[in-house]
Amino acid sequence: MKTTESILRKESLSREDLIYILQTQDEDERQLLFARARRVAAKYVGRQVSLRGLIELSNICRKNCYYCGIRSGNNKSGRYLLNTREVLHAAEYAWKKGFGSVVIQSGERSDRTFTSSITELLREIKSLSNHELGITLSCGEQSEDIYREWYEAGAHRYLLRIETSSRSLYGKLHPRDEFHSFDKRVEALRTLQRLGYQTGTGVMIGLPFQHTGHLADDLIFMRDFNIDMVGMGPYIPHADTPLARRCADIPSDEERIDLSLKMIALMRIMMKDINMAASTAMNTLDPAGRIKAIASGANIFMPNITPPAQACNYMLYEGKPIFTDMAEASLAGLEENIAGMGMRVNYHLWGDSKHYHNRIENTKPEQ
């Protein structure tokens, strides 16, 4: 008889194994899964959590994805672009607080005005921090030349979420045009990896039209892509999007949190030394969601350091918490919760993906 315990004895998990674990509602089996993921994380990435100060640069986006609140077709969104001073102030805060790294996230634009401004921001952040701050970008699909330019200017990690590895489901989440191509998305990931970035992707969990087979395929896709970083969490509808009309077809809040935690745990077991973020979306459905994600195998925490006046406009989904994590009490509470799990918060370290360094080492040509 197949059980979670018998499945976790295997060296490699099949698609059927993954589906079984994603579907099980047995509490003992769930806790067995999470406990295994914690042990794997402790062994391969350590009992530690790395910080990434999240700077939401702009909600201006040329894409029109059916699930996203900042889609170009949403004329109710108050558009903004942080100025250089605001970005550098946030980066300096992260540096002085010892976060080690920042993430610059934005809507997708590829015009030269935007890409050049990112290049200059990278250089200025490196300069103000004496090259001590690590920088992750999450600014969508770009040309190889722009990715190279940003890499040479100081970005060394890039997150480009695939959202779903299913071509057919991808087609239901996006308009069918040149700006929303599944193949271009995958090719952009390959380009990032080839250029030397620590490359990250991720998926939404609990989408309309999605079943556990899709989620199992997502895990296999990320494993086979040999990804270095993963950021994934529950799908949360936004009222001003076409996909919100299908919200009756999504699992309950509790089910989406459960699936998300299982996905994190399974990803940790399958790819032992990658970096995985505890997403803000987890906290939208569960006030302890991010901490539960850490307890299920995640090892990256991203305090939001976007200026509060603009953070409220970066509404990818409905109900996103309108707050930032810059308060001393918030950081102290994080440390306390992490310590309660027998872990610690890393300060003054980039917290690079161990998987990335192992991958690069294993692909070096023999001398």
Side-chain angles (χ1 to χ4, degrees):
M1 178 181 173
K2 180 178 288 190
T3 65
T4 296
E5 183 175 11
S6 65
I7 290 170
L8 294 181
R9 293 196 196 105
K10 298 181 178 182
E11 293 210 4
S12 180
L13 305 186
S14 69
R15 184 176 189 268
E16 291 70 26
D17 294 333
L18 298 173
I19 291 172
Y20 174 89
I21 291 177
L22 289 168
Q23 290 180 343
T24 186
Q25 295 301 310
D26 183 274
E27 185 60 23
D28 289 340
E29 293 200 326
R30 290 177 69 257
Q31 294 308 319
L32 180 67
L33 171 69
F34 301 143
R36 171 65 65 86
R38 285 194 295 274
R39 290 198 298 273
V40 171
K43 180 176 180 179
Y44 289 92
V45 297
R47 297 182 181 277
Q48 54 203 9
V49 174
S50 295
L51 300 179
R52 309 270 188 269
L54 177 61
I55 303 171
E56 296 164 330
L57 174 67
S58 174
N59 67 350
I60 301 170
C61 189
R62 68 172 183 160
K63 293 215 167 187
N64 205 21
C65 307
Y66 294 152
Y67 52 83
C68 184
I70 67 169
R71 61 195 298 266
S72 60
N74 181 12
N75 57 19
K76 296 180 182 179
S77 178
R79 304 295 174 174
Y80 76 92
L81 172 65
L82 299 182
N83 60 43
T84 299
R85 179 186 55 80
E86 290 172 314
V87 175
L88 295 182
H89 176 74
E92 185 176 29
Y93 171 88
W95 177 47
K96 290 183 175 179
K97 288 295 181 183
F99 283 10
S101 291
V102 293
V103 178
I104 298 176
Q105 177 176 305
S106 75
E108 296 200 24
R109 289 175 57 186
S110 58
D111 56 280
R112 192 57 182 152
T113 298
F114 176 75
T115 60
S116 295
S117 70
I118 295 291
T119 303
E120 188 57 31
L121 281 173
L122 290 167
R123 291 171 178 157
E124 293 200 41
I125 290 171
K126 285 295 182 181
S127 177
L128 79 81
S129 68
N130 297 325
H131 291 262
E132 292 174 3
L133 265 183
I135 304 175
T136 303
L137 290 181
S138 183
C139 301
E141 297 167 31
Q142 305 291 341
S143 69
E144 180 170 341
D145 287 344
I146 294 301
Y147 283 147
R148 183 180 292 107
E149 179 179 305
W150 288 348
Y151 186 82
E152 291 172 353
H156 64 287
R157 293 188 290 248
Y158 205 102
L159 177 65
L160 184 68
R161 286 170 52 130
I162 191 74
E163 302 302 3
T164 176
S165 63
S166 164
R167 186 185 299 272
S168 61
L169 182 53
Y170 193 94
K172 294 178 180 178
L173 304 179
H174 303 87
R176 294 180 182 270
D177 59 33
E178 61 178 322
F179 294 119
H180 304 82
S181 165
F182 178 83
D183 290 327
K184 287 182 180 179
R185 197 78 170 175
V186 173
E187 184 54 36
L189 280 169
R190 296 193 195 284
T191 300
L192 289 163
Q193 203 172 60
R194 185 174 66 253
L195 290 174
Y197 280 95
Q198 295 176 45
T199 305
T201 194
V203 297
M204 287 183 289
I205 299 161
L207 287 159
F209 318 112
Q210 187 183 61
H211 52 71
T212 49
H214 287 129
L215 295 175
D217 290 338
D218 291 339
L219 292 168
I220 292 168
F221 171 86
M222 291 186 280
R223 180 199 66 193
D224 291 351
F225 206 96
N226 210 12
I227 213 73
D228 303 307
M229 314 181 303
V230 169
M232 55 185 171
Y235 164 66
I236 303 171
H238 189 292
D240 300 320
T241 62
L243 205 62
R245 293 194 289 269
R246 302 301 300 257
C247 63
D249 299 332
I250 65 175
S252 68
D253 291 0
E254 293 76 14
E255 289 172 312
R256 277 175 286 150
I257 284 287
D258 181 59
L259 279 172
S260 298
L261 294 175
K262 287 175 179 174
M263 288 284 286
I264 290 169
L266 286 167
M267 193 82 264
R268 173 59 66 201
I269 291 165
M270 295 170 69
M271 301 191 73
K272 299 174 173 54
D273 54 357
I274 63 171
N275 277 347
M276 272 198 297
S279 73
T280 304
M282 298 290 289
N283 262 44
T284 303
L285 298 187
D286 182 338
R290 287 190 290 184
I291 293 300
K292 289 180 179 178
I294 297 293
S296 301
N299 67 317
I300 302 295
F301 197 94
M302 299 194 298
N304 192 332
I305 58 173
T306 307
Q310 299 296 358
C312 61
N313 289 316
Y314 202 83
M315 279 293 166
L316 303 180
Y317 48 82
E318 202 80 10
K320 178 188 170 189
I322 309 298
F323 67 88
T324 60
D325 294 304
M326 298 174 72
E328 296 291 336
S330 178
L331 293 176
L334 169 64
E335 285 192 331
E336 183 178 348
N337 283 322
I338 296 299
M341 292 186 282
M343 304 169 70
R344 63 181 174 83
V345 176
N346 269 339
Y347 285 103
H348 304 288
L349 293 173
W350 283 10
D352 282 343
S353 167
K354 292 185 178 181
H355 183 86
Y356 168 80
H357 293 292
N358 291 333
R359 175 170 64 82
I360 295 299
E361 190 64 31
N362 290 335
T363 55
K364 283 182 179 178
E366 293 186 9
Q367 301 297 316

